[in-house]
Amino acid sequence: MAHVTLPQMEEKIARGRLIFSGLVTVAVVVDPLQPSVNPWLTLMGSAYPLDADFLGTILFHLLYSTLIYLAVRGRGTTGSRFASLTTSTDVLFAAAVAFVTEGRSSLFYPFFSFAIVESGVRWGLRRTLMVTAASAALWIAMIALWVPDGIIFYLMRPVYLMVIGYLVGYLGEERLALENDVRTLEANEQRLRIARDLHDGCAQVLAALNLQLESCQNLLRAGHTDELLADLRDLQKSINSEHDELRAYLRSLAGVGAAGATTTASDPRIRVRLDLDASGALVDQVLRIVREGVTNIRRHAGAYAAVIQAASDATHVQISIDDDGRGFASDTERPWSILSRVSELGGSLDMTRQDGSGAHLTISLPAT
């Protein structure tokens, strides 16, 4: 089962809103209510006129839908605040359509319905009921404004909307629960596969290395120095080979290709400067990034010297990693282990590539 990520979900909702708005605009313009708009049509539709306020509201919604779609498609704008803002705007547009038509058109029904459906898709039952309640309250307010003496005759219409909202929210909640179950099953299956691979590979090699170390101890006790050195060299080769295979396996799990930099272990001079005032959890993550930077420099950079600095202020933690080694082969090649950790923390990683001048990484992490 292919999971829809949050950015993909927001793009689908934005595309659906744009298509919905476009269809409504076409329906309003083509609807034969005003021969001045469609002089070639003579049929009559419903009783409300297509005035400037109504048409302007529909066109403004089309502009709003287009801008939201372009924003999501171009910059990947997502997040709970963005979702709440667009949903609230959709509800207000439904109320605006109801207001400018003075209830003489049922066109505001699908506008309210769209806001309810997108809430069900995003959040499930609870938030959908909140959006439904807000929509019904706005609808009742419009009814009170139009027919204050006959409001009792129209109260069932918002009730129907609330019934629809409950059904959509319930189905959305069930979808989220089923998707969570599928993800749990897939995670368990992946953990089982990883455990099996590690048992058949790494664990078996460690067991063999343990036997080799025991043999080395016996050679040392017997004073067979030459044989001991030969076995230690073989042992080192086995460890290096297993280390490379394990790193390749981890990279395959992370979904990245093989490292472009050649593995050439060295022991450069590394200067580390830390000036941090942040939470313990964030400091721990920063130290892990620094540690991974040191490992990468020693194994891949071929550098003679490097400088790693980390400092914090009220809003961000800035980390820089610079060395005088071979650098990266291209602008798209980045240390995946550092990049994945930075992305998980909501930060950014920028890389400056200059041929022959080493690698230069700048990392920014939010302090909260």
Side-chain angles (χ1 to χ4, degrees), residues 183 192 195 258 271 339:
R183 287 177 176 172
L192 179 61
R271 177 179 298 176
L339 180 60

Side-chain angles (χ1 to χ4, degrees), residues 80 83-84 87 119-120 123-132 173:
S80 58
S84 299
T87 302
S119 301
W123 300 305
L125 181 60
R126 182 173 177 272
R127 294 285 293 273
T128 303
L129 291 180
M130 294 173 61
V131 172
T132 304
E173 188 74 22

